[in-house]
Amino acid sequence: MKGLSKYKRVVVKVGSSSITHDNGIINLSRIDDLAWELSNLKNHGLEVVLVSSGSIAAGAKRLNLKSRPRDVVGKQAASSVGQVALMNTYNRAFNVYDYCASQILLTRQIEIDEIMRVNAINTFNELLKMNVIPVVNENDTISTFEIEFGDNDTLSAVVARMIDADLLILLSDIDGLYSDDPNKNPDAKFIERVTEISENLQKMAKGSSSFLGTGGMCTKLNAAKLCIDKNIDVVIANSKDFSVIRKIIRGENIGTIFTRES
């Protein structure tokens, strides 16, 4: 990979809308494209962790539900079914490129339980040493309000901090950070680089407009703040073409980068 950047340990987060069709069914071609990109990073010596949404949406469709469940128990049941389908799809996709995927399901308790956190860190490090690609999601089946992340932007930031990643890439259906909602305000300005997440910046954040997703710009800014406080760079970019991953790694100006470097 020409112009390979300084990054060596990377966490990539994809939202539900990035890997499913509009009807909630898993988009096989999108997952194949993602697997190619991440496997290619592995081929160049990078360590990669994938944080992936999509289990509830996939499960709802597999269970022939008319819509995504709204109640907690319904979401947990759909996630239990959907997570199997999601991991089977990822496993097949990575196998094509001779890489093995593993599943890691976490709750927010990982932040307050020292033994649990140490065990998770050891598992991540051992899997990366074994050249495995860990696929992480929230453990919706056992999550309650007190221990749920609620969105995978926050989960991915917690994972990046735990494993001392160099970079977190947040991929969804937005190009990056704007001064206002570009869908409503044609004068909204794109922000390429952020070195400090101020209170004013956080006020600009909007909620999610995606039917399938749960995390809007607010959760992405919170995730970025968690990371840059630990000197982990964060890039928010559009997932419409997963080749954006290699471009970010090469240091191209894609999306919005959050960094302590001036």
Side-chain angles (χ1 to χ4, degrees):
M1 186 178 294
K2 187 176 180 180
L4 193 64
S5 76
K6 61 182 180 180
Y7 303 121
K8 298 303 178 185
R9 181 172 283 192
V10 180
V11 176
V12 177
K13 178 263 176 181
V14 294
S16 298
S17 60
S18 300
I19 58 167
T20 57
H21 294 286
D22 292 340
N23 60 8
I25 296 177
I26 293 175
N27 189 326
L28 298 178
S29 64
R30 294 285 287 158
I31 286 187
D32 286 343
D33 290 344
L34 178 60
W36 188 96
E37 291 293 338
L38 299 185
S39 297
N40 200 38
L41 295 188
K42 294 285 290 178
N43 288 346
H44 286 278
L46 277 72
E47 295 177 324
V48 178
V49 173
L50 173 63
V51 177
S52 175
S53 305
S55 63
I56 296 177
K61 192 63 182 178
R62 184 62 62 92
L63 291 167
N64 295 317
L65 302 179
K66 292 182 178 180
S67 62
R68 178 188 171 107
R70 299 293 181 183
D71 61 307
V72 173
V73 175
K75 289 179 181 178
Q76 290 172 327
S79 175
S80 178
V81 172
Q83 190 65 30
V84 175
L86 192 62
M87 281 308 304
N88 282 340
T89 306
Y90 274 127
N91 200 41
R92 285 195 298 268
F94 284 119
N95 276 341
V96 171
Y97 306 107
D98 294 324
Y99 284 108
C100 178
S102 73
Q103 175 181 261
I104 297 181
L105 300 176
L106 300 174
T107 68
R108 196 142 205 170
Q109 197 166 344
I110 201 76
E111 295 182 288
I112 58 176
D113 189 312
E114 179 67 20
I115 295 176
M116 187 181 293
R117 186 169 68 255
V118 169
N119 287 339
I121 292 170
N122 290 339
T123 299
F124 273 114
N125 286 333
E126 190 66 18
L127 287 170
L128 293 173
K129 189 187 301 181
M130 292 176 172
N131 219 23
V132 172
I133 300 176
V135 180
V136 186
N137 199 356
E138 181 164 8
N139 194 337
D140 294 307
T141 302
I142 66 169
S143 288
T144 63
F145 178 76
E146 291 83 4
I147 62 172
E148 69 179 6
F149 285 97
D151 67 89
N152 275 358
D153 293 326
T154 302
L155 172 59
S156 63
V158 169
V159 169
R161 285 164 59 103
M162 277 201 311
I163 67 172
D164 294 322
D166 305 304
L167 173 68
L168 169 62
I169 300 176
L170 299 174
L171 298 178
S172 65
D173 53 3
I174 54 177
D175 295 330
L177 179 64
Y178 285 84
S179 60
D180 197 2
D181 187 344
N183 296 315
K184 299 177 180 178
N185 182 0
D187 295 323
K189 296 180 179 179
F190 187 74
I191 302 172
E192 292 185 356
R193 191 178 189 87
V194 176
T195 56
E196 179 185 3
I197 301 178
S198 64
E199 187 175 334
N200 288 336
L201 192 64
Q202 290 179 303
K203 287 180 179 178
M204 291 193 308
K206 306 294 182 182
S208 175
S209 59
S210 169
F211 173 74
L212 291 172
T214 57
M217 185 54 70
C218 184
T219 63
K220 289 171 177 56
L221 282 180
N222 289 337
K225 189 174 189 309
L226 284 172
C227 285
I228 65 172
D229 285 346
K230 291 289 186 179
N231 293 317
I232 302 168
D233 288 352
V234 178
V235 174
I236 299 174
N238 199 310
S239 64
K240 60 187 176 184
D241 185 345
F242 283 130
S243 66
V244 69
I245 295 172
R246 77 183 87 143
K247 294 174 182 177
I248 291 169
I249 295 296
R250 285 198 298 245
E252 295 184 26
N253 292 327
I254 303 291
T256 300
I257 184 168
F258 298 78
T259 180
R260 289 295 189 193
E261 296 181 4
S262 57

